[in-house]
Amino acid sequence: MVFKRLLGSLGVGGPTVDTVLDPGAARPGGALTGQVHLKGGDADFDIEHITLELVARVEAEHGEGESEGVVPFERFTVGGGFRLGAGQQHSVPFSVTLPWETPITELYGQGLGIVLGVRTELAVAGAKDKGDLDRLDIAPLPAQETVLEALGQLGFGFKSADLEYGRIGGTGQQLPFYQEIELTPAPQYAHQVNEIEVTFLANPAGMDVVLEADKRGGFFSGGHDALTRFTVGHHDSRDWNAEVDGWIRQLVEHRVSHGAYGHGAPYTGHGHGGHHHDDHRRSGPGVGTAVAAGAAGLAVGVVGGMVAAEVVDEVGDFFEGDEEDEG
């Protein structure tokens, strides 16, 4: 979804900007490519810089409630230092490298309800205008896809995904937020856990897989959370169903809330204190949009086993709202 808007700070007659991303989903740590198309206004303008800003819709907890907002998480200057003549058309191609922790927005073409965007900032004559906002689609890395595929084959179901503001302690997290993919338990674990949350923290060498279980309480003990962290390489070859099942068993069989798990790595809990936040999923407009399974060939595995019962589809609202706010 692309919006063309006059450079508001310069009024009617200013240059316009239209950023077009190359087709297809990008991947974390990979290249984001496209072109910024400029069209000159009624006079000559000096284009000081063209900057792309990656933004995400993120949830934040505070006190007894939560809110959500747009958080920028990377900036790239892709051009500038030239004069754009009146009525002149000029295109600036770009190729930038996405952060390794960029959240995934889709799985086998099925949207997960995560909202990311690329905002284009044009600086002209000392004035800046964020004049264009485009949706950013991110497909999973092969290792992320492999882990989710194994979870789907083990019987876990996709429930929802969101971005949480804060940091996960004991990890090398770089971004100011992290992605949680919430799963319904496989039948063999339904008596032990209410849900499982998966977070991927990728880096050039591989990724951490952080698992959190909201465990069911017994008759004499209340429910609590368990947390584990495992490290995998981008190209590891394992029996992934058995590997991931072992992770889940280790997770649900712990009888302490927090501790040192997985490859001897300490896990200190979430950045907001390590406590579990009771169902913090948003239930605002758009919830209830069902995602149907895709191609028949995917009936087994993630899309078959992890089809979302409810996925937030607010991408259109997000971009339309942005246009109204800044237009």
Side-chain angles (χ1 to χ4, degrees), residues 1 21-22 24-27 31-33 53-56 73-74 76 94 96 98-99 102-106 114-119 133-139 315 318-319:
M1 193 176 300
L21 303 178
D22 287 346
R27 292 184 187 271
L32 177 68
T33 58
E53 183 177 64
L54 306 184
V55 298
F73 62 97
E74 185 62 280
F76 309 96
F94 62 85
V96 298
L98 294 170
T102 300
I104 62 176
T105 65
E106 63 178 54
I114 298 297
V115 181
L116 304 180
V118 180
R119 197 193 301 274
L133 181 65
D134 300 273
R135 191 176 85 180
L136 177 59
D137 296 321
I138 303 294
V315 173
F318 173 62
F319 289 109

Side-chain angles (χ1 to χ4, degrees), residues 127-304:
K128 294 180 181 179
D129 183 79
K130 298 178 179 179
D132 193 24
L133 181 65
D134 300 273
R135 191 176 85 180
L136 177 59
D137 296 321
I138 303 294
L141 292 164
Q144 295 170 335
E145 194 172 282
T146 297
V147 171
L148 292 172
E149 173 78 25
L151 286 163
Q153 299 236 8
L154 290 169
F156 289 86
F158 176 77
K159 185 177 180 182
S160 66
D162 64 10
L163 304 180
E164 292 284 338
Y165 191 79
R167 297 185 182 275
I168 300 178
T171 70
Q173 181 185 337
Q174 300 293 310
L175 297 186
F177 55 83
Y178 54 91
Q179 181 173 22
E180 287 184 336
I181 300 174
E182 184 177 321
L183 309 177
T184 57
Q188 63 268 34
Y189 294 110
H191 65 289
Q192 293 173 287
V193 295
N194 293 310
E195 65 187 33
I196 298 283
E197 291 177 349
V198 182
T199 294
F200 297 118
L201 296 174
N203 58 63
M207 69 177 181
D208 284 346
V209 183
V210 181
L211 298 175
E212 179 178 1
D214 179 11
K215 299 174 71 172
R216 295 186 183 278
F219 186 73
F220 293 106
S221 63
H224 63 273
D225 298 343
L227 302 130
T228 67
R229 176 163 62 94
F230 302 91
T231 300
V232 301
H234 286 299
H235 306 290
D236 284 3
S237 178
R238 311 183 188 182
D239 180 345
W240 285 106
N241 283 18
E243 179 86 8
V244 174
D245 193 48
W247 294 352
I248 300 297
R249 289 183 185 278
Q250 185 173 341
L251 174 68
V252 301
E253 288 170 5
H254 277 296
R255 289 294 177 262
V256 293
S257 294
H258 308 290
Y261 312 129
H263 293 259
Y267 189 92
T268 57
H270 290 283
H272 47 71
H275 64 284
H276 182 72
H277 28 275
D278 292 331
D279 191 13
H280 53 268
R281 302 291 165 253
R282 61 172 171 262
S283 56
V287 173
T289 304
V291 174
L298 300 178
V300 177
V302 178
V303 174

Side-chain angles (χ1 to χ4, degrees), residues 15-101:
T16 59
V17 58
D18 176 20
T19 297
V20 178
L21 303 178
D22 287 346
R27 292 184 187 271
L32 177 68
T33 58
Q35 295 198 36
V36 179
H37 300 299
L38 302 175
K39 185 175 181 181
D42 294 342
D44 294 353
F45 287 91
D46 288 322
I47 306 299
E48 296 171 1
H49 68 74
I50 304 166
T51 300
L52 303 180
E53 183 177 64
L54 306 184
V55 298
R57 171 169 278 180
V58 177
E59 295 184 0
E61 296 184 35
H62 45 83
E64 297 301 315
E66 66 176 32
S67 60
E68 62 178 22
V70 177
V71 175
F73 62 97
E74 185 62 280
R75 286 172 63 86
F76 309 96
T77 297
V78 297
F82 62 90
R83 171 160 290 204
L84 185 66
Q88 178 186 359
Q89 295 192 10
H90 183 73
S91 294
V92 178
F94 62 85
S95 177
V96 298
T97 302
L98 294 170
W100 281 98
E101 291 178 16

